[in-house]
Amino acid sequence: MLLSFQGIRKQFGNTMALADVTGVVDGRAVGLLGPNGAGKTTLMKVCLGLIRPDAGQATVLGVDAVANPVAVRARLGYAAEGPGRLPGLSGLESVAYAGELCGMRRRESLLRGHDMLDLVGLDESRYRPVETYSTGMFQRVKVAMALVHAPDLVLLDEPTSGLDPESRDELLDLVVHLRDHGGPAVLLSTHLLHDVERTCDAVMIMQNGAVRFAGPLSDLRVQRASEFDVRTAVPAPALRARLQALDAEVTPGGRPDQLRVRLPAGAGPDLVWQAAASTGDAVVHLQARAASLEDAFLEAIGGRPALVAPPPSAWPRPAEPPRG
Amino acid sequence: MAEPPVLEDRIHAVGYRGHTLRGRPRRAPWPMARTALVLAWRNRSTKFALLMCLAVVGIAGVALVGQLLFQRFTSSGGLPMDPASVVGSAQEVFAGFVRAQFYTSAIAIAVIAGGCVAEDRAAGALELYFARPVSRLDYALGKLLGAGLVPTATLVAPTLLLWLVAVGISPPALGAQLWWLGVPALAAAALGAFVLTTTLVGASAMGQKSRTVSVAFVATMLVLTGVGEGLVEAGQSWAGYLVPERDLRTVVDALLEVGRPSIAAQLVPNRGVLPNEDVAASLLGLIAFAGAGLVALTWRLRQDVES
């Protein structure tokens, strides 16, 4: 098991950073997803043993992170969000130094440092002092520093923040590479859904210091299987009223003849057919909505998206007639 | 004919490879100390501070060599006055060297290691250490070792060097006497280095800017000396124990059994010739200064790092 949390609470002054965090998560790449201030970084620091929770137990890779923080850290790599650099050291020296702090010998850490900087794509600029680096270059160095001692799990705290699209793309590629090519497991903290969707196979969603969802991404999407797009031959206000009477949530779809229906718990698509039969409307199209991660995320954090019609510009365009 | 594959300048061209640590894991303090000194060496101010220390070593060396050669060549001359009473004894030179070098070492350690903890805090680099298998004890030892190597190089090592020179060139009769001077001279230098290291690292733990810590450290040393000496002259002898240099001087003089000042020393206007009255109280004073530094470092680490 990668991570397991049981009733973790942490309060800073009047702010409850973590409020009874409980959850188990496993996978090769796990997204720690949540809006700013959700408690992601605090939870990561609890995993590292940097922050001692007021209550609860955190188990990382089977080791109690509260009782044995140094033992846990030996198996973790961490790329913090903040600057966290030693001015004056070059990129290579920084990575080698990180290796030495993890118990590696000088020469061993230098060789490994070159390997890791090759991996993250930092070329001859590795010999320049880190304070001359761009944000993207320094993010790469931080990832290399986290990987240098070959950890079992690497924690990346907002690694793509402040990066240009190309650098962001490359960093996400690297996470995918680690996931698919025998690298350490990755815990990716981010508030960007796209990053998680692209790189992770499991997700833990946090809001206000609490876990709202923990499990595989596929499970998160399944949660929205009760939502359907319904199209009728002509606009059908009676069908809408009938479905609402049956406790379904109904909102207009993208077209006048379309409805978006969220069925009540336990109901199946038969409910739509029965309602249409009772109102005499002809249903020409009934399809479960493809759940986007964004919808699932919003639903998980309680900010369920309002079922509103998309703007006309998003309507499907009719096929153009052939010319000539 | 098939085209050769296009080589892309993309990341992870090599690919991730696992790694197994060779042998037992090394402890962090030595890499920390070495890296701190490597970084300090890249600053011009470090070289200047070390040059200043070297100058003091040179002056003490010239004084010692001149004095011993003078004694060597006049020992059989039947002079009416003992040469040691004129130019001072070797013990006096050592004691004077430790005193003077204590101040230059204070400046050197402030310049070189003033930011050892303060800069880590200001740059948010504490996470860099504590996200790795580095305990608070490892961190403290690393910082103390890094800072401690500065006075070791400027105070302890030159004392050893001067002693070796003194033993090597002194006349045979004096040589046997100087042979036993090594241990107390080195102990005195090591005590001075220990006090400087702990107080500086403690001061650095309380600050956030390297330069501020350095200036405050040196200024505090000078102010304590000035005020303490002034109060002692005004009859408040207790104030002498609040001056680290005066405490050290008392202990050094006791260790080296420095006797009455030579004529040469008395000719130089120096208000701080006389040490404190009680050696044990001076030693306690030095331990208190060192303890304060260690307490400050421990307190800061407990504040900033929870485990």
Side-chain angles (χ1 to χ4, degrees):
Chain A
M1 191 60 63
L2 206 59
L3 300 164
S4 166
F5 306 107
Q6 187 63 48
I8 292 183
R9 283 196 292 111
K10 182 68 187 180
Q11 192 164 357
F12 297 109
N14 293 326
T15 309
M16 183 64 86
L18 297 175
D20 197 24
V21 171
T22 299
V24 174
V25 71
D26 204 0
R28 293 283 304 139
V30 178
L32 186 56
L33 194 58
N36 291 331
K40 304 185 295 291
T41 300
T42 307
L43 190 63
M44 277 195 159
K45 288 184 178 177
V46 168
C47 292
L48 285 158
L50 288 176
I51 288 178
R52 189 177 283 273
D54 300 331
Q57 192 178 20
T59 308
V60 180
L61 300 165
V63 181
D64 187 340
V66 181
N68 304 305
V70 176
V72 166
R73 286 180 218 151
R75 297 179 61 189
L76 297 185
Y78 178 52
E81 185 186 6
R85 68 184 81 184
L86 287 182
L89 288 183
S90 68
L92 176 62
E93 286 170 329
S94 298
V95 178
Y97 186 41
E100 284 192 271
L101 290 177
C102 293
M104 296 170 82
R105 280 158 178 72
R106 174 83 179 143
R107 184 175 161 71
E108 184 185 8
S109 62
L110 272 172
L111 291 172
R112 177 79 178 163
H114 278 293
D115 253 13
M116 290 303 103
L117 289 170
D118 286 341
L119 178 74
V120 299
L122 200 72
D123 48 23
E124 64 270 13
S125 54
R126 67 184 62 176
Y127 300 106
R128 274 175 28 206
V130 286
E131 59 266 31
T132 64
Y133 284 8
S134 66
T135 309
M137 288 163 76
F138 189 59
Q139 286 290 10
R140 291 173 188 215
V141 170
K142 283 202 287 190
V143 172
M145 288 168 75
L147 291 171
V148 66
H149 60 298
D152 296 324
L153 168 64
V154 63
L155 314 180
L156 306 177
D157 194 359
E158 306 274 5
T160 56
S161 69
L163 298 189
D164 60 71
E166 193 182 350
S167 302
R168 183 163 165 263
D169 232 29
E170 291 185 348
L171 201 77
L172 294 177
D173 277 350
L174 177 64
V175 175
V176 172
H177 175 81
L178 292 174
R179 185 191 69 192
D180 296 341
H181 293 87
V186 178
L187 179 65
L188 176 75
S189 161
T190 181
H191 58 272
L192 301 173
L193 291 162
H194 170 262
D195 292 1
V196 171
E197 196 160 26
R198 181 166 157 191
T199 59
C200 297
D201 46 27
V203 66
M204 179 179 255
I205 296 176
M206 293 188 71
Q207 193 195 20
N208 296 332
V211 173
R212 296 304 176 96
F213 175 86
L217 272 180
S218 49
D219 284 7
L220 182 64
R221 291 199 175 102
V222 164
Q223 286 197 338
R224 290 182 59 87
S226 62
E227 204 168 300
F228 290 85
D229 280 330
V230 179
R231 220 163 69 222
T232 47
V234 291
L239 175 61
R240 179 179 178 174
R242 177 68 186 146
L243 284 167
Q244 283 171 332
L246 293 169
D247 288 338
E249 268 183 61
V250 187
T251 52
R255 296 159 46 138
D257 58 354
Q258 194 175 14
L259 297 173
R260 193 171 292 175
V261 181
R262 184 176 288 157
L263 298 175
D270 286 353
L271 190 77
V272 178
W273 293 117
Q274 288 163 7
S278 67
T279 58
D281 288 303
V283 173
V284 296
H285 175 90
L286 176 65
Q287 189 174 29
R289 281 196 68 205
S292 74
L293 187 62
E294 187 176 353
D295 289 344
F297 169 68
L298 288 170
E299 191 169 18
I301 65 171
R304 191 172 190 167
L307 294 174
V308 294
S313 58
W315 289 5
R317 290 184 181 175
E320 286 186 16
R323 294 185 181 176
Chain B
M1 188 175 159
E3 288 185 9
V6 178
L7 293 176
E8 286 183 31
D9 183 20
R10 298 277 290 176
I11 58 165
H12 55 78
V14 176
Y16 182 82
R17 289 188 291 184
H19 181 78
T20 309
L21 206 64
R22 292 180 206 155
R24 283 181 57 200
R26 292 280 175 96
R27 296 291 300 273
W30 172 240
M32 286 172 64
R34 192 194 59 228
T35 304
L37 293 177
V38 166
L39 281 175
W41 182 248
R42 294 175 186 173
N43 293 331
R44 204 176 300 162
S45 55
T46 301
K47 291 168 186 124
F48 180 75
L50 291 179
L51 208 61
M52 200 170 60
C53 293
L54 196 63
V56 176
V57 176
I59 292 167
V62 168
L64 188 69
V65 169
Q67 176 204 61
L68 289 172
L69 290 179
F70 180 64
Q71 290 197 12
R72 183 171 192 145
F73 291 115
T74 56
S75 56
S76 58
L79 287 176
M81 193 177 283
D82 175 20
S85 68
V86 180
V87 295
S89 63
Q91 284 93 327
E92 204 176 309
V93 175
F94 275 113
F97 169 71
V98 172
R99 272 168 51 189
Q101 192 72 327
F102 181 79
Y103 278 116
T104 45
S105 294
I107 295 171
I109 195 174
V111 168
I112 295 169
C116 62
V117 181
E119 275 184 6
D120 283 351
R121 294 182 63 230
L126 282 178
E127 270 181 9
L128 190 146
Y129 294 99
F130 292 106
R132 296 183 166 77
V134 176
S135 64
R136 282 189 295 219
L137 179 64
D138 285 336
Y139 181 84
L141 287 177
K143 293 300 172 185
L144 288 168
L145 183 62
L149 284 173
V150 177
T152 302
T154 58
L155 189 56
V156 182
T159 305
L160 178 67
L161 187 72
L162 289 176
W163 174 67
L164 289 173
V165 169
V167 170
I169 66 168
S170 61
L174 190 59
Q177 195 185 332
L178 289 179
W179 180 256
W180 300 106
L181 201 64
V183 173
L186 286 173
L191 183 64
F194 179 68
V195 172
L196 283 177
T197 303
T198 47
T199 47
L200 187 274
V201 175
S204 185
M206 303 309 288
Q208 278 213 326
K209 281 189 178 175
S210 170
R211 196 164 297 176
T212 309
V213 170
S214 306
V215 171
F217 181 75
V218 175
T220 305
M221 284 279 177
L222 293 175
V223 167
L224 275 178
T225 304
V227 172
E229 296 286 3
L231 285 170
V232 170
E233 278 183 5
Q236 306 291 324
S237 59
W238 57 267
Y241 299 105
L242 301 179
V243 184
E245 186 274 328
R246 198 179 164 90
D247 288 331
L248 183 69
R249 187 197 319 155
T250 307
V251 176
V252 169
D253 286 359
L255 281 170
L256 295 175
E257 296 173 346
V258 173
R260 194 170 55 83
S262 62
I263 294 171
Q266 287 178 46
L267 289 175
V268 179
N270 184 354
R271 58 196 291 205
V273 170
L274 294 175
N276 288 328
E277 290 166 6
D278 192 344
V279 178
S282 288
L283 190 60
L284 276 177
L286 287 175
I287 291 171
F289 280 113
L294 292 175
V295 166
L297 176 64
T298 308
W299 178 80
R300 174 57 73 193
L301 287 180
R302 284 190 176 276
Q303 287 287 310
D304 288 358
V305 185
E306 290 197 14
S307 60

